Amino acid sequence: MSMKKHYQRPLDFKTGRIDMNHGAGGRASAQLISELFAPAFDNPFLRQGNDGAQLPAPPAGHALVMATDAHVISPLFFPGGDIGCLSVHGTVNDVAMLGAVPLYLSASFIIEEGFALADLRRIVESMAAAAREAGVPIVTGDTKVVEQGKGDGVFISTTGVGALPPGRQIGGALARAGDVVLVSGSIGDHGVAVLSQRESLAFETAIESDTAALHTLVAALLAAVPEGSVRTLRDPTRGGLATTLNEIAAQSGVGVLLDEAAIPMKPQVAAACELLGLDALYIANEGKLIAIVAPEVAEAALAALRAHPLGRDAACIGVVQADEHQFVQMKTALGGMRVVDWLAGEPLPRIC
Amino acid sequence: MKYVDEFRDAALARNLAAKIAAEVQPQRRYHFMEFCGGHTHAIARYGLAELLPASVRMIHGPGCPVCVLPIGRIDQAIHLALERGAIVCTYGDTLRVPASGGLSMMKAKARGADIRMVYSAADALKVARANPVREVVFFAIGFETTTPPTALVLRQAKAEGLKNFSVLCCHVLTPAAITHILQGPGVGPAGDVPLDGFIGPAHVSIVIGYAPYVPFALGYQKPVVISGFEPLDVMQSILMLVRQVNEGRAEVENEFTRAVSADGNRAAQAVMDEVFEHREVFEWRGLGEVPDSALRIRPAYAEFDAEVRFGLCYQGVPDHKQCACGEILRGRKVPTDCKLFGTVCTPENPMGSCMVSSEGACAAHYAYGRFRDIPVVAA
Ligand code: SF4
């Protein structure tokens, strides 16, 4: 990817904008890669400079796992993060929730013509920092540019590959009656942080997105309890805690009984939801996980989560129960009972 | 936040529940209608029905502005966006309401209509200023709570001389709807629909005060308690209603003394009065035509009235034949009495008004309460 620098004017990261040439595969594309993406993500695999990366096979007996995620978010920058770090965390977490060790990421950018190079650099650098911090290199990628009006600034799609140790089985279908439901911390932070930045909605809140890579938290949890006692791990992203638990209930053919008073939630999140007529149980999280564990390890699992900086506020929020209707139910903070249903469509603010 | 917590204290809730249980008379049944969807939502979301004695039954009234929006009105908004090229701005939960031809505003959007969700009437005005060459229509819905902001933007648009802004006014009035229910078939003293009292919406009364409820408390001998929306407000109001019934009183009482007065907000009333006048009749989804129950824009503001500007004619569209919404809204039936409930009619694919917004009686029962219909194995 080397090019004689002095024959070409360097990219103008102050006032420059993406144009159609940057996606045409010619010199401008190469320049974008060599001046922005390659130095930011730099690692030996990327340096191979091919269209794909050649990667070492996982240790014998391990299975490969793969997850992919497209990130479209508005606004692109929000308190506590941006689309760049989010696109790393999201995919690392999807791999980690299977109990696998995330190894490599790929990244594909769809950028809208006219997008400011300064913003793109900010996003790429945040993404690179997130990947480095997680210890999961971005080993291959792609860039496309679409005409103005055909994109929303930037879309980033990431794919992650990980290695699953022999014999490990963690999945959404493995929860059984009697198991205990744990959550690694307060819910709704990410969704509320993003909402607070919507142009038409801008409200003051100290809430930051919880976006984070959770694989070390998963590792700490798995190390603390016997293999097999963690049945299900899931990060409650879009659709929030409620939707995730309904998915698990359906996959495992069980019911869940939650205790509302035990669900950790920051007061600012509760207040913002109140204001907007939204239910925090349905609000997205990007740095929290739900763990369904065997009852006999619940204490140890909770202690392991709480000992990790990303799980300090972990709590036991409910139990899995036999229920042919696969209802997620909740004992409300006031002592009543209700169903916590699937989300119908997008959560929309109520008018009154 | 402390403020909210006080109204959600579990010990206080148990205490109130115990009081209600102690005060209900053994031979008597109590049927109270909570008019407003906000209360329906609170009752469902906090599982309050569980805390009440079996003899107290809550009836979910028609007070969800999204639910009572007739199909024909949404058709008008969709027509403006799809056929007339207008940018239509509206509140979020209006987007899902089913319209004619399998459409909703959300589906129309997918077909190219420029429909934008706004969080306030003022945002719609901003859209108009930012798009001077496009017609921008604010689809204004809601009860007395959302009416003053609409009045204010109309006044503002006139002051600015905006040429591309108008309002499709579908604001409705609370007292008229309650009167309609009380005059409905079977509600009177000899009727078969038991209605022993009302929980009135506090946010409406912050605007109009509680005085407008006095006539039907007296005239129809139905106690009314103006209530806040926190679960403990609702519990307290139920207790107050039980007491009125037991003592044979029918008065307007105010549970929400922290913000409601007899006369309400005079300034808000004045601006509403300047901009709006009463419609002789307005169709409510589920209830049909209700006299004197909605507002339209006064002739002085005609240039900002989308109905005038675009020469719209109202065309009513009937609901699904088997939909029992009307009877549910009047307290004659419960959601599970409807043949369509949970099969043909679900929150993803609502047929009738009660299933449309999470505050509707059918949607609330579907989302929060349907486990009560089916025996669930305990843990
Ligand atoms: S279930 Fe649907 S169709 Fe039946 S009454 Fe309710 S809203 Fe109407």
Side-chain angles (χ1 to χ4, degrees):
Chain A
M1 205 131 328
S2 69
M3 203 175 298
K4 280 196 177 165
K5 290 269 158 48
H6 38 275
Y7 285 139
Q8 201 172 35
R9 224 186 261 178
L11 285 175
D12 174 5
F13 281 111
K14 263 213 178 95
T15 61
R17 293 187 175 272
I18 289 288
D19 59 46
M20 296 307 291
N21 291 323
H22 289 116
R27 197 175 337 225
S29 306
Q31 188 184 14
L32 190 64
I33 291 167
S34 67
E35 286 184 33
L36 179 60
F37 292 111
F41 296 150
D42 185 55
N43 59 64
F45 305 102
L46 200 61
R47 258 177 261 143
Q48 293 165 0
N50 298 318
D51 284 348
Q54 186 185 324
L55 307 167
H62 283 61
L64 270 184
V65 304
M66 186 169 152
T68 191
D69 213 345
H71 300 270
V72 298
I73 183 164
S74 167
L76 297 169
F77 302 93
F78 46 82
D82 55 71
I83 188 172
C85 60
L86 192 70
S87 68
V88 168
H89 296 153
T91 301
V92 165
N93 291 348
D94 285 347
V95 171
M97 294 308 135
L98 294 164
V101 180
L103 298 174
Y104 311 108
L105 287 173
S106 77
S108 150
F109 286 75
I110 296 173
I111 313 171
E112 188 179 359
E113 176 189 22
F115 193 68
L117 277 170
D119 285 342
L120 184 62
R121 179 157 78 173
R122 222 175 124 195
I123 289 167
V124 168
E125 280 172 358
S126 154
M127 207 172 161
R132 209 159 292 132
E133 200 185 319
V136 187
I138 296 168
V139 298
T140 186
D142 183 46
T143 311
K144 292 280 173 352
V145 177
V146 293
E147 279 169 38
Q148 227 168 67
K150 297 201 169 162
D152 197 4
V154 176
F155 301 140
I156 304 176
S157 161
T158 48
T159 298
V161 170
L164 186 69
R168 179 168 295 166
Q169 275 208 328
I170 293 174
L174 301 176
R176 44 186 111 144
D179 286 350
V180 171
V181 183
L182 309 176
V183 63
S184 66
S186 61
I187 61 160
D189 299 4
H190 174 74
V192 166
V194 170
L195 273 177
S196 74
Q197 295 303 299
R198 291 267 162 91
E199 197 190 345
S200 49
L201 208 62
F203 56 86
E204 297 285 325
T205 175
I207 289 291
E208 296 205 335
S209 166
D210 57 351
T211 182
L214 297 170
H215 56 313
T216 58
L217 180 64
V218 170
L221 168 64
L222 292 175
V225 298
E227 196 74 63
S229 55
V230 175
R231 324 270 201 224
T232 306
L233 293 169
R234 189 76 51 95
D235 55 339
T237 53
R238 219 173 12 163
L241 185 71
T243 306
T244 303
L245 287 173
N246 272 290
E247 280 166 15
I248 296 170
Q251 263 180 290
S252 293
V254 294
V256 173
L257 179 62
L258 292 173
D259 176 4
E260 184 173 29
I263 300 173
M265 194 189 306
K266 297 202 169 98
Q268 301 96 311
V269 168
C273 288
E274 195 63 31
L275 189 76
L276 297 172
L278 296 171
D279 188 341
L281 295 177
Y282 295 89
I283 303 274
N285 310 275
E286 291 291 346
K288 299 290 155 36
L289 62 79
I290 294 170
I292 297 189
V293 303
E296 62 275 14
V297 305
E299 297 260 309
L302 196 57
L305 290 174
R306 285 181 175 162
H308 191 285
L310 291 173
R312 249 173 315 191
D313 301 322
C316 170
I317 59 168
V319 292
V320 176
Q321 57 184 14
D323 175 2
E324 58 171 310
H325 306 291
Q326 299 159 11
F327 282 141
V328 176
Q329 298 182 69
M330 181 160 81
K331 190 166 172 45
T332 72
L334 283 174
M337 281 282 266
R338 64 172 253 209
V339 166
V340 177
D341 203 9
W342 290 89
L343 183 63
E346 222 190 319
L348 297 171
R350 298 201 311 272
I351 84 153
C352 69
Chain B
M1 197 52 209
K2 190 99 219 311
Y3 188 70
V4 168
D5 281 344
E6 287 170 27
F7 299 101
R8 296 189 185 166
D9 184 290
L12 283 177
R14 271 196 301 275
N15 204 340
L16 277 169
K19 273 194 194 152
I20 295 171
E23 295 196 19
V24 291
Q25 294 173 351
Q27 268 73 325
R28 195 163 201 157
R29 289 183 62 78
Y30 301 78
H31 303 86
F32 301 131
M33 174 177 278
E34 85 278 0
F35 175 81
C36 174
H39 291 135
T40 305
H41 192 82
I43 290 168
R45 176 163 166 196
Y46 296 97
L48 298 191
E50 220 80 14
L51 300 173
L52 297 173
S55 58
V56 175
R57 187 188 143 207
M58 301 307 294
I59 298 162
H60 312 308
C64 162
V66 173
C67 300
V68 296
L69 201 60
I71 297 176
R73 292 283 165 189
I74 305 157
D75 284 355
Q76 283 184 331
I78 291 175
H79 166 81
L80 288 178
L82 267 184
E83 251 83 46
R84 312 288 282 267
I87 300 175
V88 173
C89 300
T90 188
Y91 294 123
D93 48 3
T94 319
L95 291 174
R96 264 204 298 265
V97 184
S100 304
L103 280 179
S104 63
M105 292 179 80
M106 203 178 256
K107 286 182 179 147
K109 200 165 161 242
R111 293 200 186 169
D114 194 344
I115 293 174
R116 305 188 188 178
M117 182 173 96
V118 292
Y119 293 92
S120 71
D123 285 343
L125 207 58
K126 281 189 208 148
V127 173
R129 290 192 200 110
N131 295 275
V133 296
R134 301 273 310 273
E135 284 286 344
V136 175
V137 181
F138 176 50
F139 187 40
I141 78 157
F143 286 93
E144 290 85 343
T145 33
T146 51
T147 312
T150 306
L152 284 174
V153 298
L154 278 164
R155 208 152 75 168
Q156 182 70 28
K158 190 169 186 179
E160 286 178 34
L162 272 185
K163 292 280 169 257
N164 64 328
F165 180 73
S166 57
V167 170
L168 182 54
C169 179
C170 299
H171 284 298
V172 283
L173 301 168
T174 308
I178 297 185
T179 310
H180 178 77
I181 288 169
L182 284 170
Q183 289 175 343
V187 181
D192 58 342
V193 183
L195 251 182
D196 301 307
F198 285 95
I199 291 185
H203 56 357
V204 168
S205 285
I206 290 173
V207 178
I208 64 170
Y210 58 80
Y213 297 99
V214 172
F216 46 72
L218 295 178
Y220 296 91
Q221 284 297 298
K222 302 289 179 193
V224 178
V225 175
I226 308 293
S227 172
F229 291 93
E230 291 301 330
L232 290 183
D233 286 327
V234 178
M235 297 285 287
Q236 174 67 32
S237 301
I238 293 170
L239 178 61
M240 290 165 76
L241 282 172
V242 167
R243 284 180 180 162
Q244 284 208 45
V245 171
N246 289 349
E247 292 163 17
R249 287 184 291 128
E251 298 163 10
V252 179
E253 288 184 310
N254 182 13
E255 183 274 337
F256 202 71
T257 42
R258 45 192 201 273
V260 168
S261 64
D263 298 330
N265 182 338
R266 294 273 171 95
Q269 291 165 23
V271 59
M272 278 159 57
D273 208 43
E274 177 193 326
V275 174
F276 299 115
E277 59 188 15
H278 283 206
R279 290 182 194 259
E280 292 73 39
V281 71
F282 190 80
E283 188 193 341
W284 291 51
R285 193 166 196 173
L287 290 182
E289 306 227 304
V290 181
D292 201 24
S293 66
L295 297 173
R296 79 168 150 244
I297 297 169
R298 284 191 189 274
Y301 284 84
E303 57 180 313
F304 302 101
D305 183 346
E307 287 177 67
V308 176
R309 194 182 186 106
F310 294 93
L312 298 180
C313 269
Y314 183 71
Q315 189 76 54
V317 180
D319 258 320
H320 191 289
K321 276 196 290 301
Q322 280 172 307
C323 171
C325 287
E327 278 164 302
I328 288 172
L329 295 180
R330 291 184 166 91
R332 302 171 69 95
K333 282 188 173 173
V334 296
T336 42
D337 292 336
C338 175
K339 284 199 189 73
L340 308 179
F341 179 80
T343 52
V344 176
C345 183
T346 63
E348 279 77 21
N349 197 6
M351 301 306 296
S353 59
C354 303
M355 194 61 100
V356 169
S357 142
S358 67
E359 295 181 355
C362 292
H365 189 70
Y366 187 94
Y368 298 119
R370 69 186 190 276
F371 70 96
R372 249 177 258 123
D373 309 333
I374 310 169
V376 172
V377 187

